[in-house]
Amino acid sequence: KEINIVLKADVKGSEEAVKNSLVKISVEGVKINIIRSSIGAISPSDIVLAAASDAIIIGFNIRPDNKTADYAKERNVDIRLYMLRIFIYV
């Protein structure tokens, strides 16, 4: 089985870290393909690419605006959002 992914992150460092972690995942019979990896908001072109590639979109520390989220639903594109929260207590 192949899992196609469009990766979007808030900053370059996060994008690279998540991308490197995804390509290291080793599950027998499963191959992960990073179709596009970039920083910034999830855009309609990301939705179109994901729909055409049968990919999921992984957003790291970002959220799509309502219009883009609705467009993804119309195109049956799965968007999975992850947030890293760091708390520093002094």
Side-chain angles (χ1 to χ4, degrees), residues 23-88:
V23 297
K24 289 180 183 176
I25 293 173
S26 177
V27 176
E28 187 177 331
V30 177
K31 182 177 184 215
I32 295 177
N33 299 317
I34 308 289
I35 304 298
R36 177 188 289 166
S37 175
S38 61
I39 58 172
I42 297 169
S43 68
S45 66
D46 296 319
I47 305 297
V48 171
L49 177 61
S53 306
D54 192 28
I56 64 170
I57 296 176
I58 294 179
F60 190 79
N61 287 338
I62 60 168
R63 300 190 69 78
D65 61 30
N66 290 337
K67 187 176 178 180
T68 303
D70 290 342
Y71 186 54
K73 287 179 188 175
E74 290 170 14
R75 303 290 304 256
N76 293 319
V77 171
D78 187 11
I79 297 177
R80 301 192 184 185
L81 302 174
Y82 300 92
M83 300 290 203
L84 176 65
R85 300 198 194 285
I86 298 174
F87 298 99
I88 299 174

Side-chain angles (χ1 to χ4, degrees), residues 5 7 11-13 16 35-36:
I5 296 173
L7 173 63
V11 294
K12 191 70 174 165
E16 289 296 321
I35 304 298
R36 177 188 289 166

